[in-house]
Amino acid sequence: MRIHVVDHPLVAHKLTTLRDKRTDSPTFRRLADELVTLLAYEATRDVRTEQVDIETPVTATTGVRLSHPRPMVVPILRAGLGMLDGMVRLLPTAEVGFMGMVRNEETYEAHTYATRMPDDLSGRQVYVVDPMLATGGTLVAAIRELIKRGADDVTAICLLAAPEGVEVMERELAGTPVTVVTAAVDEHLNADRYIVPGLGDAGDRMYGTAG
């Protein structure tokens, strides 16, 4: 597994405002959307392309376009939805799947309650988006499902990561073609499995606590 921490002043600036507990939900959603686009720019450096011949107003030339099958973006519900627009803004031709996952608050294990994506992902590059890589359980379960369906190149895009979650992913997904792209790896998880210093519950801060 490869982890890439995006070191850029704009990333650090937006992340600082996301961390601030005074940032309201509309501002949080907007900044998360902007930050995801910056992370996606780095995450798609190795997106697969193919050559194409075109005519400019001046002459014939050769360019590139995204190859087939198109990449797939998979947000993990619900907080991952807040990252979707930022991804498809950069990859408008990508297909979108969904995974609904919930964490048992006693065991911290992740369980899948809904999926909406092709059964066969053979040859696909998949970008799975989830704001927080905390314990690692949710992303490990999601990526295992994607690999089981044939995905051969998976990139996880997270706003924040904890070292404990990174360690779990490295151990549980050893030998799997996975990259993690994040704005920061924070200090640790607290007793409630929240990232410290973190930014709180990303889903609640995006959408409120209804439900």
Side-chain angles (χ1 to χ4, degrees):
M1 192 188 83
R2 184 171 70 94
I3 183 159
H4 176 46
V5 179
V6 179
D7 181 16
H8 191 285
L10 286 179
V11 169
H13 167 75
K14 294 178 189 299
L15 180 57
T16 297
T17 307
L18 286 175
R19 291 185 190 275
D20 192 333
K21 67 180 182 180
R22 297 169 297 179
T23 300
D24 59 24
S25 288
T27 304
F28 191 97
R29 286 195 298 269
R30 175 177 59 80
L31 287 172
D33 176 78
E34 294 172 359
L35 181 53
V36 169
T37 299
L38 293 173
L39 297 178
Y41 179 80
E42 293 293 332
T44 54
R45 282 187 178 274
D46 296 323
V47 68
R48 294 169 187 164
T49 60
E50 59 190 18
Q51 288 190 338
V52 58
D53 295 325
I54 61 168
E55 294 277 347
T56 78
V58 180
T59 187
T61 190
T62 300
V64 298
R65 64 184 176 194
L66 295 185
S67 59
H68 288 274
R70 298 294 190 196
M72 173 164 282
V73 178
V74 179
I76 296 179
L77 306 181
R78 74 176 163 149
L81 279 178
M83 302 173 68
L84 180 58
D85 285 349
M87 283 296 301
V88 298
R89 183 178 299 114
L90 203 65
L91 287 172
T93 60
E95 295 184 0
V96 178
F98 296 93
M99 293 187 72
M101 305 190 77
V102 63
R103 186 179 74 170
N104 185 306
E105 294 302 326
E106 294 182 358
T107 66
Y108 301 109
E109 293 182 357
H111 301 280
T112 302
Y113 64 84
T115 58
R116 181 71 176 183
M117 56 188 174
D119 291 332
D120 186 5
L121 296 174
S122 299
R124 289 286 188 110
Q125 284 181 295
V126 180
Y127 298 90
V128 56
V129 292
D130 193 23
M132 313 298 279
L133 169 50
T135 64
T138 297
L139 275 175
V140 166
I143 290 169
R144 280 177 172 166
E145 178 63 26
L146 295 170
I147 298 296
K148 186 174 74 173
R149 295 182 184 223
D152 64 356
D153 188 338
V154 179
T155 299
I157 300 174
C158 308
L159 302 181
L160 281 180
E164 294 91 337
V166 172
E167 182 181 349
V168 166
M169 288 189 67
E170 289 177 335
R171 182 178 69 247
E172 299 296 327
L173 298 173
T176 303
V178 175
T179 300
V180 174
V181 176
T182 185
V185 177
D186 274 4
E187 297 172 8
H188 60 89
L189 295 178
N190 66 16
D192 295 320
R193 301 300 194 270
Y194 279 95
I195 298 175
V196 178
L199 49 76
D201 186 299
D204 287 351
R205 296 197 65 192
M206 284 181 187
Y207 303 118
T209 57

